[in-house]
Amino acid sequence: MSDAPVRILVADDEPGMREGCRKILVAEGYAVETAADGVEALEVFERHGDISVVLVDLKMPRLGGMELIEAVRQRDPDVVLLVITAYAAINTAVEATKRGAFGYIPKPFLPDELLLRVRNGLEMRALTIEARRLREERERRLLEVAAERTQSRTIIDCMTDGVLVVNRDRQIVLRNAAARRLMPEIAGIPLPAELETIESAEVRAIIDETLAARTEPQIAIREIPLGSGTYMVNASPVLGSSGESYGAVAVLRDITALTKLAAAKSMFVSMVAHEVKSPLAAIESYLNLLLSGTGGHDPERDRRMLERCMVRAKTLRTMVSELISLVAVETGKFSLKRSPLDVGAVVAEVVDAYKDRAAEKNIQLTLATLGSAQTKVLADREAIRSVFNNLVDNALKYTPAGGQVRVAVSLEQLSVCVSVRDTGIGMSPEERSRVFDDFYRAKNEFTANVPGTGLGLSLVKKFVELHQGTVTVQSEPGQGSEFTVRLPVGE
């Protein structure tokens, strides 16, 4: 057995991403090659001939990630293909997984997340190669293989994907720990066990479909709901050298997060279409009325119409700005321009900017600075201003006339603490747990008439965490909400 390090290829057109992945992997003892596009990646792959893992960005010049996946898979069916993707390409990542990619790594990611995906992929590769070697070495039933190969079974048992092995007599002869968690009905029964023991008719059907292919390999791939999750089930027959079927192996991979993100994307597109349509329709209506001269010319009335157009135009601009910021943060392209910043002064500017709006709604907006300690942090001014703009704006939105919004700045140990407390409608425990999720908006009688995209608080959390800070919320229905931001003190 060779002691040479495992070789990994990183194909990404972003120099920062390539170099970042290379440093992380080299530090773990891997040999790493890099390529800036799909064509270069294919040349590097063919030149070395011993690459075990390929990290693929879906959006690359000359040869795209999807084409690269197919080309590499044709040259080496055992290579581990990991898709590097951002949210905007999540539906493409699902398609890449269906075409043979082992999994995906959403940008941005932590070093540990990258290393975990690589280790899991290498475990799967080792298992696949070992299983093929065993099939070529011995032509016997999978029941005998399962009984004798405890080492392979141990590897399978440690995998995060569920694995089921069924012999040609429709008997379950192996199920790993992940499969036992997914299907509790097969967890405690002795093996071999009848396939009917599995409660999911869809799982049984895909295995039966594979077992029916006695001579020609037939790989079945299907999305199947199990419990509260969705799983990509890959079932393939195990054939001997003479073409005789020994049974089937099914691998169940959790794609719940992928399907939820795809659903969230569809909901978001629908929501944005509605949020854009309403203000545009109002602007068009007012302008048509002004241009047509219907109802005569009343300067005061015309001015009010133009002011309403301006309000709706600002709503659209805010939505676009939030979308741009979200994409920048999610793709790792948002750059912070840190400098010493007086948080207390920024908060005071924000509160002052919202005074007129608070007065229009008959809401008392106050600012209290507790103590005389300095409130400077090392931060990006625009990002921090956006945080407090969103928090104060939300407090005013969801506080009825006659209510109060109290903003307080203080120093707690080594953190600057800013709290925004209102006497508004408050939140239920379920709403409170999801308030920082992308695109989430509480649905109730009061919020139905409040405009918004569900991105503001999500961006608050992301911006605060980019500054190594925290944001928390306390709220009860009918008793208002309090958001608290803590940022580490800087020089």
Side-chain angles (χ1 to χ4, degrees):
M1 183 178 291
S2 173
D3 292 328
V6 172
R7 191 175 299 279
I8 297 176
L9 171 60
V10 179
D12 196 302
D13 60 346
E14 295 181 27
M17 181 60 65
R18 291 199 306 273
E19 183 60 16
C21 290
R22 189 191 69 80
K23 289 182 178 179
I24 293 169
L25 295 168
V26 168
E28 291 296 313
Y30 296 109
V32 181
E33 308 295 333
T34 61
D37 59 59
V39 172
E40 182 184 358
L42 199 56
E43 292 172 354
V44 172
F45 185 87
E46 292 177 335
R47 182 167 67 250
H48 284 276
D50 64 343
I51 291 174
S52 301
V53 180
V54 181
L55 304 181
V56 181
D57 180 21
L58 291 178
K59 300 295 183 182
M60 293 188 293
R62 294 207 290 173
L63 183 67
M66 198 69 71
E67 292 77 13
L68 178 61
I69 289 172
E70 294 178 348
V72 170
R73 180 64 70 191
Q74 289 175 358
R75 288 161 175 76
D76 183 357
D78 297 326
V79 69
V80 177
L81 291 157
L82 292 171
V83 174
I84 305 175
T85 183
Y87 173 80
I90 201 66
N91 54 341
T92 313
V94 174
E95 182 62 24
T97 302
K98 292 180 180 179
R99 294 192 185 189
F102 175 72
Y104 80 105
I105 308 174
K107 298 178 183 178
F109 51 81
L110 299 173
D112 287 345
E113 293 175 325
L114 172 62
L115 295 173
L116 177 61
R117 298 295 198 286
V118 169
R119 283 194 291 266
N120 286 346
L122 289 172
E123 287 178 358
M124 174 64 84
R125 173 184 167 87
L127 174 64
T128 302
I129 294 173
E130 175 68 5
R132 185 170 61 249
R133 186 185 71 80
L134 291 174
R135 289 196 302 270
E136 294 170 351
E137 184 180 89
R138 300 180 183 181
E139 294 182 3
R140 61 173 145 192
R141 297 175 60 158
L142 287 178
L143 180 59
E144 297 171 338
V145 174
E148 295 178 8
R149 295 295 173 180
T150 56
Q151 183 177 6
S152 294
R153 193 162 57 198
T154 300
I155 295 173
I156 293 174
D157 218 38
C158 293
M159 290 175 56
T160 55
D161 292 341
V163 177
L164 282 175
V165 179
V166 179
N167 65 18
R168 57 189 170 191
D169 296 325
R170 299 182 78 250
Q171 294 176 316
I172 303 169
V173 295
L174 187 148
R175 79 285 200 211
N176 70 349
R180 292 195 294 271
R181 288 192 298 271
L182 294 175
M183 293 170 282
E185 66 271 18
I186 65 171
I189 61 173
L191 299 181
E194 295 302 318
L195 183 61
E196 280 70 20
T197 308
I198 297 175
E199 293 179 357
S200 172
E202 292 179 272
V203 172
R204 295 198 305 270
I206 194 172
I207 293 175
D208 278 333
E209 179 182 328
T210 305
L211 289 173
R214 293 283 182 176
T215 56
E216 293 295 327
Q218 180 174 330
I219 299 175
I221 302 175
R222 204 163 297 151
E223 291 183 18
I224 294 177
L226 280 175
S228 60
T230 303
Y231 290 80
M232 182 72 71
V233 181
N234 293 262
S236 60
V238 180
L239 304 177
S241 58
S242 61
E244 182 183 9
S245 174
Y246 288 160
V249 57
V251 178
L252 297 85
R253 181 170 303 154
D254 189 353
I255 60 167
T256 305
L258 284 173
T259 55
K260 284 183 177 179
L261 285 173
K265 180 181 177 182
S266 297
M267 290 177 60
F268 171 69
V269 170
S270 175
M271 180 192 65
V272 168
H274 177 268
E275 293 293 339
V276 169
K277 181 180 178 180
S278 296
L280 281 179
I283 291 172
E284 183 181 15
S285 175
Y286 286 134
L287 292 179
N288 280 335
L289 188 61
L290 289 170
L291 291 173
S292 66
T294 304
H297 293 286
D298 182 344
E300 188 61 29
R301 184 206 61 180
D302 293 349
R303 180 177 180 81
R304 286 197 302 271
M305 288 185 181
L306 290 172
E307 287 174 347
R308 290 169 185 168
C309 288
M310 180 64 73
V311 169
R312 284 159 177 77
K314 287 181 178 178
T315 299
L316 290 173
R317 186 180 63 183
T318 299
M319 182 186 302
V320 171
S321 177
E322 288 178 344
L323 286 171
I324 292 172
S325 296
L326 177 67
V327 171
V329 172
E330 292 289 352
T331 57
K333 295 180 179 179
F334 187 86
S335 58
L336 293 176
K337 299 177 181 179
R338 297 176 183 264
S339 61
L341 180 68
D342 188 339
V343 174
V346 172
V347 172
E349 292 174 8
V350 170
V351 170
D352 187 62
Y354 280 92
K355 284 285 188 181
D356 289 343
R357 181 173 161 190
E360 289 174 4
K361 289 192 65 177
N362 191 26
I363 294 174
Q364 185 180 359
L365 175 60
T366 61
L367 170 63
T369 302
L370 309 179
S372 57
Q374 62 91 12
T375 57
K376 284 191 176 181
V377 300
L378 197 61
D380 182 296
R381 181 182 182 83
E382 292 306 313
I384 295 301
R385 185 181 178 89
S386 175
V387 166
F388 298 119
N389 268 333
N390 270 299
L391 292 178
V392 175
D393 183 71
N394 264 20
L396 293 174
K397 276 183 183 178
Y398 297 104
T399 299
Q404 297 179 353
V405 175
R406 182 178 183 273
V407 183
V409 183
S410 61
L411 188 66
E412 293 183 0
Q413 297 180 345
L414 297 178
S415 296
V416 176
C417 175
V418 180
S419 65
V420 179
R421 181 177 181 81
D422 63 61
T423 58
I425 62 173
M427 290 179 280
S428 68
E430 194 244 339
E431 291 169 343
R432 191 169 62 244
S433 68
R434 299 185 58 193
V435 71
F436 294 112
D437 291 354
D438 292 345
F439 318 123
Y440 176 73
R441 294 195 69 210
K443 295 181 180 179
N444 55 54
E445 184 177 340
F446 185 88
T447 61
N449 297 318
V450 178
T453 61
L455 291 175
L457 291 178
S458 172
L459 287 172
V460 165
K461 183 176 176 64
K462 288 177 170 61
F463 283 157
V464 170
E465 290 180 346
L466 283 174
H467 288 85
Q468 293 75 51
T470 62
V471 57
T472 57
V473 59
Q474 293 180 331
S475 183
E476 295 293 337
Q479 298 182 22
S481 304
E482 181 175 12
F483 288 84
T484 303
V485 174
R486 290 179 175 85
L487 298 168
V489 173
E491 294 299 328

